[in-house]
Amino acid sequence: MTENVPLVITWRRPESPMPPAVLCSDTGRPLTEAFAGITAMLEAQDVACRIVEEDGPMAILLDGIPFEEIVPIYVPKTCSLCGSCDGSEAECTGQRRYEGIPESVLRLAARRAAGL
């Protein structure tokens, strides 16, 4: 990673009055808390990190790359019951879902994206 260029972690979620609360399965913490912990972990290793929250199709990006491409051991759920439709195939958006994502997998992806 280039010096003085922060790793950018982007949490993109559908625009709604109440953004979805996603809890990590191994720590029980919401993603926002997990991201704060990852930022602290990386900064302790002299890696600058910045968190960006955006509206849009649900995704977790590390420097613009979907984290599941960096750590392919975790595959976000997509199915006809995506959570943003009425449950019918015709209405399903097929968006990524991150319910129960392990924080340890997010940490591994962030470390890999930072070149550690």
Side-chain angles (χ1 to χ4, degrees), residues 10-14 20-25 29 31 35 57-61 65-69 74-78 82 95-103 106:
T10 304
W11 166 228
R12 191 180 303 149
R13 69 257 179 276
V22 178
L23 301 179
C24 296
S25 61
R29 297 187 331 158
L31 274 181
F35 292 145
M58 192 170 292
I60 298 171
L61 310 169
I65 301 170
F67 95 95
E68 59 269 19
E69 290 181 18
Y74 179 82
V75 179
K77 299 171 178 124
T78 56
C82 68
Q95 292 189 53
R96 294 176 180 99
R97 299 185 315 162
Y98 295 103
E99 297 92 358
I101 185 172
E103 186 173 339
L106 288 172

Side-chain angles (χ1 to χ4, degrees), residues 79-94:
C79 67
S80 62
L81 301 174
C82 68
S84 62
C85 66
D86 68 4
S88 68
E89 289 272 340
E91 297 296 319
C92 183
T93 64

Side-chain angles (χ1 to χ4, degrees), residues 12-72:
R12 191 180 303 149
R13 69 257 179 276
E15 184 179 345
S16 65
M18 178 71 90
V22 178
L23 301 179
C24 296
S25 61
D26 54 352
T27 61
R29 297 187 331 158
L31 274 181
T32 51
E33 287 182 25
F35 292 145
I38 289 167
T39 299
M41 172 193 75
L42 292 174
E43 289 178 349
Q45 296 178 30
D46 295 323
V47 175
C49 186
R50 184 167 54 97
I51 307 296
V52 175
E53 293 190 29
E54 297 177 349
D55 292 331
M58 192 170 292
I60 298 171
L61 310 169
L62 301 167
D63 283 340
I65 301 170
F67 95 95
E68 59 269 19
E69 290 181 18
I70 298 168
V71 182

